[in-house]
């Protein structure tokens, strides 16, 4: 078979080491030798001897998901082989989490991660239910985290002298050391005139980085299995 589709540009090459790599801009490959975790329904192909099992969120996680509509539906992948993960053709990126790091990320942007990472679902301080129910996943430990984003994300430095204000529908995540609160930038007069569409932002103060998608989130589409 010939043609551009079967050229080396698209052809999968042999894995060089266990773990996570970016296969192309839209897909992450994970060479499994033991266990890893991924978003439910994100596997697009695999080979080898692998088992996929739904992973429960525990009572606390289930309650938070029921109240807020947010959550991180996961599956564990066990065995030996290779699996490819993608989410609606979004761009894929890898974050290396080091001991002592803490990375807060919106659950919708999590694709897969090493089993050596710990995570918890946490309320964004200063927001809560009145701020739209901002619940995120906080990752700690040592390992790699695969993320998806519509388009190429912006990584904006935050300093004590220059806080950053992010649309709550556009924020992907942020590093440790940043304090969060809600910022209301719309005046009462503007609200009475119909509003600007930019009434409330997430304010991040301190020293670190915030990751922002180059568009606001679109309404969630149910996954098909």
């Amino acid at each position: 078979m010939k043609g551009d589709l079967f050229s080396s540009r698209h052809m999968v090459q042999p894995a060089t080491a266990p773990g996570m790599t970016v296969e192309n801009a839209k897909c992450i490959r994970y060479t499994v030798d033991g266990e890893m975790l991924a978003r439910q329904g994100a596997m697009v192909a695999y080979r080898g001897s692998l088992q996929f099992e739904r992973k429960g969120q525990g009572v606390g996680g289930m309650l938070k998901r029921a109240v807020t509509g947010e959550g991180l539906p996961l599956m564990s992948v066990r065995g030996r082989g290779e699996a490819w993960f993608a989410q609606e053709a979004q761009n894929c990126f890898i974050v290396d989490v080091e001991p002592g790091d803490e990375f807060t990320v919106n659950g919708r942007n999590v694709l897969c991660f090493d089993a050596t990472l710990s995570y918890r679902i946490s309320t964004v301080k200063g927001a809560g239910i009145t701020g739209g129910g901002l619940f995120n996943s906080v990752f700690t430990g040592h390992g790699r985290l695969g993320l998806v984003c519509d388009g190429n994300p912006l990584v904006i430095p935050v300093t004590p002298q220059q806080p950053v204000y992010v649309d709550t529908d556009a924020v992907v995540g942020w590093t440790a050391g940043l304090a969060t609160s809600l910022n209301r930038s719309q005046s009462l007069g503007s609200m009475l005139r119909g509003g600007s569409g930019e009434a409330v932002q997430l304010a991040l103060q301190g020293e670190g980085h915030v990751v922002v998608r180059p568009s606001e989130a679109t309404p969630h589409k149910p996954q098909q299995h």
Side-chain angles (χ1 to χ4, degrees):
M1 193 70 67
K2 296 182 179 180
D4 179 65
L5 178 61
F6 294 93
S7 67
S8 59
R9 185 162 64 95
H10 300 291
M11 194 71 67
V12 169
Q13 302 300 316
T16 57
M20 185 188 308
T21 55
V22 174
E23 183 67 49
N24 58 42
K26 309 293 184 181
C27 189
I28 283 179
R29 169 167 46 178
Y30 200 109
T31 303
V32 185
D33 186 8
E35 182 183 11
M36 56 84 63
L37 294 109
R39 169 178 291 279
Q40 290 177 18
M43 186 273 293
V44 296
Y46 82 94
R47 60 187 176 189
S49 179
L50 296 176
Q51 291 185 324
F52 300 83
E53 297 179 359
R54 178 172 180 162
K55 184 174 177 63
Q57 299 183 56
V59 175
M62 290 173 63
L63 287 174
K64 287 179 179 178
R65 190 175 183 191
V67 171
T68 66
E70 297 289 338
L72 184 54
L74 295 175
M75 61 181 177
S76 63
V77 184
R78 296 187 179 95
R80 298 187 67 181
E82 294 176 296
W84 287 264
F85 300 96
Q87 181 76 10
E88 298 179 350
Q90 297 182 66
N91 289 357
C92 295
F93 305 89
I94 293 177
V95 174
D96 289 292
V97 181
E98 301 290 340
D101 287 347
E102 183 175 278
F103 188 65
T104 301
V105 61
N106 194 306
R108 66 177 174 238
N109 296 104
V110 175
L111 183 64
C112 57
F113 56 94
D114 292 338
T116 54
L117 290 177
S118 299
Y119 74 95
R120 68 183 189 274
I121 299 175
S122 178
T123 309
V124 175
K125 293 181 179 179
I129 302 299
T130 58
L134 297 179
F135 283 75
N136 287 273
S137 300
V138 182
F139 287 86
T140 56
H142 184 209
R144 308 195 89 188
L145 169 64
L147 302 178
V148 291
C149 179
D150 283 336
N152 289 322
L154 308 172
V155 180
I156 306 174
V158 183
T159 67
Q161 296 77 28
Q162 288 188 312
V164 176
Y165 305 90
V166 181
D167 189 295
T168 56
D169 288 327
V171 64
V172 173
W174 59 90
T175 57
L178 295 180
T180 60
S181 61
L182 285 185
N183 177 68
R184 301 186 183 277
S185 60
Q186 185 169 259
S187 66
L188 177 60
S190 177
M191 292 176 64
L192 294 175
R193 291 191 295 271
S196 64
E198 306 294 346
V200 179
Q201 301 84 39
L202 184 67
L204 297 110
Q205 297 175 301
E207 188 163 3
H209 294 83
V210 59
V211 183
V212 183
R213 54 183 279 165
S215 66
E216 294 184 357
T218 54
H220 176 73
K221 294 186 290 185
Q223 292 188 13
Q224 299 296 320
H225 299 280

